[in-house]
Amino acid sequence: MASLKQLALREEEQTGFFGGHSLCAGCGIPPIVRTVLGSIPGKKVAISATGCLEVATTRYPFTAWGVPWIHVAFENAAAVAGGVEAAYRALSQRGKIGEEPVTFVAFAGDGGTYDIGLQALSGALERGHRLIYVCYNNEAYMNTGIQRSGASGAGSPSAART
Amino acid sequence: MAKLELAQQVLTGAEAAAHAMRQIRPDVVPLYPITPQTPIIQTFSRFVADGETDTVLLQVESEHSAMSAAVGAALAGARTITATASQGLALMVEVVYIAAGLRAPVVIAVGNRALSGPINIHGDHSDGMLARDSGALQVYAQDAQEAYDLMLMAPRIAEHPRVLLPIMVGQDGFNVTHSAEPVALLPDAEAAAFVGEYEIPYALLQGPSSSHGVFAMPDSYFEIRHQMISAAEAARDVYREVTEDYRRRFGRYLPALDCYRTDDAERAILLIGSAAGTAKDVVDELRAAGEKVGCVAVRLYRPFPHEELRAALAGVARVAVLDRAASPGAFPPLYSDALAALYRSGVDLRSYIYGLGGRDLPQGDVHRALRELAEPPRAGIGYLGLRGDGGDGEP
Ligand SMILES: Cc1ncc(C[n+]2csc(CCOP(=O)(O)OP(=O)(O)O)c2C)c(N)n1
Ligand code: SF4
């Protein structure tokens, strides 16, 4: 597996996630997504929860995603990912898609993971889907304007206090 | 018209729906129990355990996740069916709307049941009406046979390239889900040939990479929703095509409206679901006594068959619309739909609510509604079977 340094160097070779999105300049999310996708060989499908990443990368009619991508709602990225992975198992067992392995990667913020999405994540883990779940933890609900999440540090300022 | 000689089996509506699912052989079925839907998924799970279909079952941790997984699977390229009722549908409903917007043709079997509170496990149509404006198509069965037939037709309607919308196949909780009656099943091969293969444009796992569930601003959202609304409108013709093909192949016909002795009727009952059987018995009884009465049962509720209803009730002077759901503070759903369909037609419509939370609709209540149609109109909503409302069907 490539090191972080190598992945960063190869940024321009990567076709899973492109620039031109509207995430803030300096936002930590794009390097996370690019690094994760870049480190996975072969075919992959990305699943997003509602949040900064989803909103800022798929403003119709554009998309920053070079891999098949799906977003359904805020609290269900893990369940959607489980459904896509189940479809892969069903279709390959019936010979309806090629043998090529596919990696499923879900991306959700800390709000979509620690709080509203915890139940769906618990169910997906317990069912044992073959998928990677990435929580990009920016320690707050950023998309709605900096409110606390279950991952906010004690005493961290929120929009209501600043 | 071909008519197959079919062996009948004694099945409940839930079992009949599960048999249809076995014959459809969906790729993925996310499931979660809730009365009175549970026997659908339980029977289907038994078929899977017995090796009758190699469907991938997902035992999810909630209906919200069931529907979420269903949307993911359907858009990935897998034919997907799930089932629910009542609180389960209420929990799902956020994602039912999204499924319609994302054009995921998921089939949802529903054992229609009252909504809490107070909590009640028995039949009414409140759950279906909660999803009424979601964009999901809705059909309602009157009995176990129809539950089977509609379930088999559902994928073809939902997956039609002009439609691509989820479809809810409703059957009344207990009255249909748990009532055993003779049901004629098609041979497995004929059923499978009728249903055909699942094909959607832009599947996540097939073809070039695509993005689903994107963010739409005011400059595009309206057009995208309008496409979905137009697809729901187109489903009216597709329902007709599919039901006619079903009739051609198998000799059974389930048009959008089931019109019973309405041809020369002066008064009629309009309703949805299993109570149609009771109403038809009353119609027979009154016809035998020389009264010109009829009954119309709505099978296709979304899209609503406006034209068909206008045609069916063209010569009828007065119609009692019986809703098994309420819209507190306003007229109930079927009445409102019928009123819009019959605007300026001259048909006098009266609204009744019956059967909430599984209360029976005895024949006496249907008699009362038909009798009151012969009397001068009254304003507001009548209640059938409600204690203290003057009915003769008091429990
Ligand atoms: C059911 C539901 N509740 C609330 C929202 C509003 N909402 C959208 S994004 C968001 C916060 C997302 O926070 P997080 O998961 O931390 O991701 P980030 O915005 O930080 O990327 C909220 C509350 C929603 N879309 N759906
Ligand atoms: S507000 Fe959202 S887009 Fe901006 S830096 Fe924070 S996480 Fe990134």
Side-chain angles (χ1 to χ4, degrees):
Chain A
M1 192 173 157
S3 68
L4 279 179
K5 226 171 173 177
Q6 289 166 318
L7 287 168
L9 282 175
R10 293 213 314 256
E11 194 185 306
E12 62 291 342
E13 294 166 27
Q14 292 179 20
T15 53
F17 185 81
F18 297 100
H21 51 70
S22 57
L23 288 153
C24 299
C27 176
I29 298 174
I32 294 174
V33 174
R34 226 178 255 125
T35 307
V36 169
L37 291 180
S39 63
I40 301 166
K43 200 172 166 180
K44 50 226 145 207
V45 174
I47 300 96
S48 289
T50 309
C52 276
L53 172 62
E54 163 268 328
V55 165
T57 59
T58 64
R59 183 166 168 162
Y60 184 86
F62 303 105
T63 182
W65 297 86
V67 294
W69 176 89
I70 180 171
H71 154 255
V72 177
F74 183 22
E75 65 275 51
N76 62 2
V80 175
V84 178
E85 188 265 346
Y88 173 78
R89 269 187 284 141
L91 296 176
S92 42
Q93 124 188 335
R94 289 181 171 178
K96 292 184 189 170
I97 49 174
E99 307 272 283
E100 191 186 358
V102 180
T103 307
F104 304 93
V105 199
F107 293 96
D110 46 297
T113 303
Y114 285 59
D115 292 351
I116 202 166
L118 190 61
Q119 173 183 316
L121 178 57
S122 158
L125 293 177
E126 189 253 341
R127 289 190 299 277
H129 292 287
R130 267 193 332 97
L131 56 89
I132 296 169
Y133 185 100
V134 179
C135 169
Y136 59 90
N137 181 3
N138 50 25
E139 299 190 5
Y141 297 177
M142 299 311 294
N143 189 48
T144 39
I146 327 177
Q147 294 83 27
R148 69 158 306 281
S149 83
S152 299
S156 43
S158 72
R161 283 215 236 138
T162 49
Chain B
M1 186 173 75
K3 180 133 177 67
L4 287 178
E5 285 306 322
L6 301 173
Q8 294 197 329
Q9 308 185 27
V10 176
L11 298 172
T12 63
E15 290 165 344
H19 272 283
M21 288 171 68
R22 173 180 63 73
Q23 295 179 321
I24 294 166
R25 293 182 69 238
D27 298 302
V28 176
V29 170
L31 42 86
Y32 196 83
I34 183 166
T35 306
Q37 169 281 122
T38 309
I40 302 179
I41 54 158
Q42 207 147 290
T43 309
F44 182 70
S45 303
R46 205 183 63 226
F47 293 144
V48 175
D50 290 348
E52 299 203 39
T53 163
D54 57 352
T55 298
V56 172
L57 294 180
L58 289 182
Q59 298 194 38
V60 289
E61 82 300 331
S62 73
E63 291 87 350
H64 196 283
S65 284
M67 196 58 204
S68 302
V71 172
L75 293 178
R79 181 175 273 144
T80 306
I81 302 181
T82 187
T84 192
S86 182
Q87 303 313 113
L89 183 57
L91 193 57
M92 258 186 196
V93 109
E94 181 197 23
V95 190
V96 175
Y97 272 72
I98 300 171
L102 267 53
R103 313 297 295 278
V106 176
V107 176
I108 310 167
V110 181
N112 290 103
R113 161 182 154 182
L115 290 173
S116 298
I119 190 166
N120 172 297
I121 61 166
H122 292 276
D124 76 29
H125 299 147
S126 309
D127 51 2
M129 296 306 154
L130 180 65
R132 183 189 64 172
D133 299 334
S134 61
L137 314 177
Q138 292 198 14
V139 293
Y140 287 86
Q142 289 171 36
D143 54 30
Q145 181 69 59
E146 289 197 6
Y148 169 77
D149 294 328
L150 289 172
M151 201 63 193
L152 262 192
M153 286 187 266
R156 273 197 45 187
I157 301 164
E159 297 162 14
H160 192 283
R162 291 178 64 205
V163 178
L164 291 169
L165 288 172
I167 185 166
M168 294 162 52
V169 183
Q171 50 175 304
D172 287 358
F174 293 101
N175 298 76
V176 181
T177 55
H178 288 62
S179 300
E181 47 191 344
V183 177
L185 302 183
L186 303 177
D188 291 354
E190 304 258 358
F194 173 80
V195 174
E197 290 292 318
Y198 182 80
E199 257 175 60
I200 56 160
Y202 313 113
L204 280 171
L205 294 173
Q206 291 149 338
S209 147
S210 49
S211 294
H212 296 255
V214 302
F215 176 65
M217 290 286 282
D219 64 351
S220 58
Y221 177 89
F222 201 174
E223 284 71 24
I224 295 170
R225 294 301 280 189
H226 180 255
Q227 288 186 349
M228 185 270 275
I229 296 164
S230 306
E233 295 283 352
R236 215 176 266 115
D237 286 342
V238 171
Y239 180 89
R240 196 176 302 118
E241 281 167 29
V242 173
T243 48
E244 271 169 13
D245 187 34
Y246 199 77
R247 163 162 71 173
R248 232 179 354 261
R249 294 187 196 214
F250 312 124
R252 277 205 300 270
Y253 188 41
L254 283 81
L257 296 176
D258 176 18
C259 300
Y260 188 73
R261 305 188 82 169
T262 46
D263 276 353
D264 62 339
E266 290 161 1
R267 286 171 292 145
I269 297 281
L270 174 67
L271 45 59
I272 296 174
S274 62
T278 309
K280 288 175 189 174
D281 280 351
V282 173
V283 165
D284 286 343
E285 204 180 302
L286 293 176
R287 282 272 177 183
E291 295 193 40
K292 291 189 169 173
V293 294
C295 169
V296 177
V298 177
R299 289 201 187 92
L300 177 64
Y301 181 64
R302 280 294 178 273
F304 195 73
H306 292 102
E307 299 294 327
E308 286 95 329
L309 190 66
R310 251 180 120 82
L313 297 177
V316 181
R318 292 171 189 170
V319 177
V321 187
L322 275 51
D323 269 278
R324 207 176 183 185
S327 175
F331 282 104
L334 179 60
Y335 177 81
S336 304
D337 287 315
L339 200 64
L342 295 163
Y343 182 59
R344 288 190 170 155
S345 66
V347 181
D348 175 9
L349 294 176
R350 314 233 182 126
S351 174
Y352 290 90
I353 290 176
Y354 77 99
L356 297 190
R359 179 141 316 166
D360 280 334
L361 181 76
Q363 295 194 353
D365 283 343
V366 180
H367 274 288
R368 179 188 146 201
L370 285 168
R371 192 169 62 236
E372 287 180 358
L373 284 182
E375 298 164 6
R378 48 134 187 85
I381 303 164
Y383 292 86
L384 297 172
L386 178 71
R387 267 196 292 283
D389 201 56
D392 42 22
E394 294 226 338

